[in-house]
Amino acid sequence: MPPSPSPGSAGAPGAVSPSASFLAAYDEVLTARWPEGTTTSRIPTPYGVTHVTSHGPADATAPPVVLLPGGGATSTVWHAQAAHLGRKHRVHAVDLIGEPGRSTPGERPIRTVADLTGWLGAVLEALSAEAGRRPVLAGHSYGAWIALHHALHAGSLRLAGLVLADPTQCFTGFRPGYLLHALPLLLRPTPRRARGFLTWETSGADLDADWLRLYEEGARFPAVRPVTGPRPDREALRELAVPTLVLLAEYGRALDPVRTARAVDRTLPRASTYTIPGATHHTLPLHAPAAAEINRRLDAFLTELPAD
């Protein structure tokens, strides 16, 4: 889920390690849901070591695709996109430092948006050096907020494309009802509250059982307050030259899709915007019907990108 929209900072280095039950649940999703040939790696950055899960041909001629999850979702949430896009693209799913996952914070904490873009820039530089070409950066929810800020910082010289899936705090704010339902989980996270919140937001959708168990275990993850802040500057958005795809959830309770689409049209005029039928904020990107439509939209977007 996305973090609280109030400004904050990452916690101190040296946080307690994730529990054995969290790590077991994480590995179960990788084993059960990620396609054969998936590999993992760890990328050192000034802010700690970043865990990356990768799939697809290492010698792919198509641009690599780097995926950022929403808050608490972990990089494992992208398994459907990795399996689909990995036929042509090298796909890298990244665990956010300070969020549930296998990335490890370092001595230098992430406290500001500049720190976030510095951390992500180091990760993308390492992945781009491996591929020899600019990546497409995609994010969901809080991951989309990070991706958009990085795109504004790095620009078209560093990114081949940008994909924002139900991007929170980017073009419009949260719906008040969403924040009210999220508040108990934000104040005192427990597995039961995590499941209850997802059940409410998704209207009881049949989410992947292995991933749901991991999400619940993430409620016990060592607490680190995420970096948040205001929406990106509108004038800067109008100047963004990176080809951009915005995907919105038709029945999402975090964002009003109609209002958000209008805001995208006003502030990011070169973006393409689509609404995923039947989707809610938290059925993206893994629930089967939503995942299939996301993959179709990603295929079309990636095919239309100019040659690097």
Side-chain angles (χ1 to χ4, degrees):
M1 62 176 291
S4 167
S6 60
S9 62
V16 179
S17 299
S19 67
S21 58
F22 174 87
L23 296 176
Y26 190 107
D27 291 343
E28 181 63 27
V29 177
L30 282 184
T31 301
R33 298 291 176 256
W34 277 69
E36 184 177 353
T38 293
T39 61
T40 62
S41 59
R42 292 176 65 77
I43 297 176
T45 78
Y47 301 93
V49 180
T50 302
H51 182 89
V52 180
T53 301
S54 304
H55 180 68
D59 59 351
T61 58
V65 179
V66 179
L67 304 166
L68 305 181
T74 77
S75 62
T76 64
V77 75
W78 293 105
H79 58 82
Q81 288 69 44
H84 181 79
L85 297 177
R87 294 177 294 183
K88 296 181 180 179
H89 300 261
R90 184 71 168 161
V91 178
H92 305 285
V94 177
D95 277 339
L96 307 177
I97 284 187
E99 286 282 322
R102 284 184 171 270
S103 291
T104 307
E107 292 300 317
R108 181 178 176 182
I110 296 177
R111 297 192 184 280
T112 65
V113 173
D115 291 335
L116 268 179
T117 58
W119 160 73
L120 183 54
V123 173
L124 294 178
E125 184 176 354
L127 296 175
S128 297
E130 172 189 309
R133 60 188 308 165
R134 297 176 301 162
V136 173
L137 179 61
H140 170 233
S141 188
Y142 179 50
W145 183 82
I146 297 172
L148 181 56
H149 274 285
H150 181 80
L152 292 170
H153 170 76
S156 58
L157 294 178
R158 299 292 181 89
L159 296 176
L162 180 67
V163 180
L164 308 173
D166 228 35
T168 51
Q169 287 297 98
C170 291
F171 307 101
T172 58
F174 289 101
R175 283 177 160 171
Y178 180 85
L179 295 179
L180 286 174
H181 279 83
L183 190 59
L185 179 59
L186 293 169
L187 292 176
R188 190 167 67 85
T190 66
R192 181 177 179 180
R193 288 182 174 187
R195 178 182 285 266
F197 178 71
L198 287 187
T199 299
W200 168 77
E201 200 284 325
T202 65
S203 299
D206 186 19
L207 299 177
D208 180 89
D210 293 323
W211 179 84
L212 183 56
R213 175 172 166 250
L214 173 59
Y215 186 84
E216 291 175 352
E217 288 292 335
R220 299 190 179 102
F221 200 81
V224 177
R225 192 177 181 190
V227 173
T228 59
R231 281 170 242 160
D233 179 76
R234 290 185 178 182
E235 291 304 318
L237 286 172
R238 291 188 180 98
E239 298 300 319
L240 184 64
V242 180
T244 301
L245 172 66
V246 180
L247 301 173
L248 301 172
E250 181 182 17
Y251 298 127
R253 299 194 181 190
L255 301 175
D256 180 328
V258 175
R259 181 167 168 254
T260 303
R262 289 172 181 164
V264 173
D265 288 343
R266 289 194 304 268
T267 57
L268 205 60
R270 289 180 289 274
S272 299
T273 305
Y274 297 96
T275 298
I276 305 299
T280 78
H281 185 73
H282 291 286
T283 60
L284 301 179
L286 81 167
H287 193 236
E293 182 62 19
I294 289 172
N295 288 341
R296 282 192 288 271
R297 294 300 181 184
L298 287 174
D299 278 343
F301 176 71
L302 294 169
T303 300
E304 294 171 359
L305 289 177
D308 203 348

